[in-house]
Amino acid sequence: MVELFQVLGGIAGFGGVALGVLYLLYRDLVRDIIRRRMFRTLTSAQATVLFGAVVVLAFAVAILGIFATLAESRGVQQFLVLVGMILFFLLAVAFIAVRALTGPTARAGSGGRPDGERSLAAVRRHVESGEPEQAERALEGARPARDSTAYWYWKARIALARPNLDVASGYVEEALKLDARDPYVIALKIELLLLANGQVQRDQAARLSEDSTGLNGELDAWLRQLRAEGMFGEGLRTRTRLESMCPLPTPTTENAHAD
């Protein structure tokens, strides 16, 4: 790393050092984020803010490097070029900030609860169609309260559709903290435990199913179907096979808003 800055600094001065910083920023941050697919766990607004921050910081370093290099010549033309680049940079920052702050609000519309209900229905439709990105945008448009089970339930379903079982399990636990007896959240937790394909998790799913029997008629019917299909026994299970044989009970729009 030191040799890189020595070479770039010797060739292009402070501008070369700025170029080296940009290279390291990409190599150690942006590329690593993309490789680990961290954006699957972020909303579109959060991803926009993250990339916006990277762009702003990178451009700031570049501007400082160029300014330090051009300051030696003190030419009028170079100064005007620098001013133009700074103005462009400020416009880019303003655009990113406006998109990040007003994007979800603009998509939410002005209709209040009816729009939210349509958006939650759209979330369900996209989740069941295997379209997690569209479901994420619809959930942002619905704007359910973050202290509601509906919000965390649909966050978990979206994570499961990606698929990301660990993230989905975390969202389910957040929902259970708000309502430990929500039958749809319990059903989702049981499915996640079964999809983990481990004996310990299957035993946990079986115990949870026994403890939850009698809580809700729809949940009871689903649990009986799981037992009839032998889903609590040994063997590997995929989400496609499990849900084709035992479709996961899903709350209606009215259920979601009642929370």
Side-chain angles (χ1 to χ4, degrees):
M1 182 183 302
V2 176
E3 291 77 7
L4 173 66
F5 284 110
Q6 288 176 343
V7 172
L8 291 176
I11 295 175
F14 286 106
V17 174
L19 181 62
V21 171
L22 293 183
Y23 167 74
L24 294 176
L25 186 63
Y26 170 76
R27 188 194 70 180
D28 296 333
L29 177 61
V30 178
R31 189 175 60 180
D32 191 55
I33 289 175
I34 294 174
R35 183 189 300 117
R36 295 184 180 180
R37 298 181 179 180
M38 290 175 59
F39 285 106
R40 290 191 172 190
T41 64
L42 301 178
T43 66
S44 59
Q46 291 171 335
T48 300
V49 171
L50 178 59
F51 254 130
V54 171
V55 171
V56 169
L57 293 174
F59 206 89
V61 173
I63 286 293
L64 290 175
I66 294 171
F67 178 80
T69 302
L70 296 180
E72 299 178 358
S73 62
R74 298 181 181 179
V76 176
Q77 183 177 0
Q78 290 88 341
F79 179 76
L80 293 177
V81 170
L82 180 61
V83 170
M85 294 181 69
I86 292 175
L87 291 176
F88 177 79
F89 167 67
L90 293 176
L91 288 174
V93 172
F95 175 77
I96 292 172
V98 170
R99 285 295 301 272
L101 294 175
T102 65
T105 303
R107 287 193 296 268
S110 58
R113 175 170 174 169
D115 285 344
E117 290 181 354
R118 286 193 294 270
S119 297
L120 281 179
V123 174
R124 174 176 179 171
R125 183 175 65 254
H126 288 306
V127 166
E128 293 177 347
S129 299
E131 301 170 338
E133 301 304 326
Q134 294 89 329
E136 188 78 59
R137 289 194 292 269
L139 184 61
E140 291 178 15
R143 301 175 69 190
R146 296 204 171 207
D147 58 351
S148 67
T149 56
Y151 175 79
W152 294 109
Y153 173 84
W154 287 114
K155 289 286 287 184
R157 289 290 301 269
I158 292 169
L160 177 60
R162 279 187 160 113
N164 194 325
L165 297 184
D166 292 337
V167 173
S169 297
Y171 291 150
V172 164
E173 293 304 322
E174 292 295 329
L176 290 174
K177 289 178 184 177
L178 297 170
D179 186 356
R181 295 175 59 82
D182 186 298
Y184 302 103
V185 179
I186 291 172
L188 182 54
K189 180 172 183 177
I190 291 172
E191 176 166 318
L192 290 170
L193 289 170
L194 293 175
L195 291 176
N197 287 309
Q199 186 59 51
V200 174
Q201 290 85 349
R202 282 194 293 270
D203 291 342
Q204 292 176 350
R207 287 195 299 270
L208 182 58
S209 68
E210 294 294 335
D211 295 340
S212 304
T213 299
L215 185 63
N216 173 273
E218 191 175 1
L219 176 61
D220 288 347
W222 183 69
L223 293 175
R224 286 194 298 270
Q225 191 171 2
L226 286 178
R227 297 185 186 102
E229 298 293 344
M231 290 297 173
F232 294 103
E234 296 182 357
L236 296 178
R237 287 158 187 82
T238 65
R239 173 171 166 257
T240 302
R241 177 172 178 269
L242 194 154
E243 293 190 358
S244 64
M245 299 178 70
C246 307
L248 186 69
T250 304
T252 62
T253 301
E254 290 76 14
N255 293 141
H257 280 285
D259 291 337

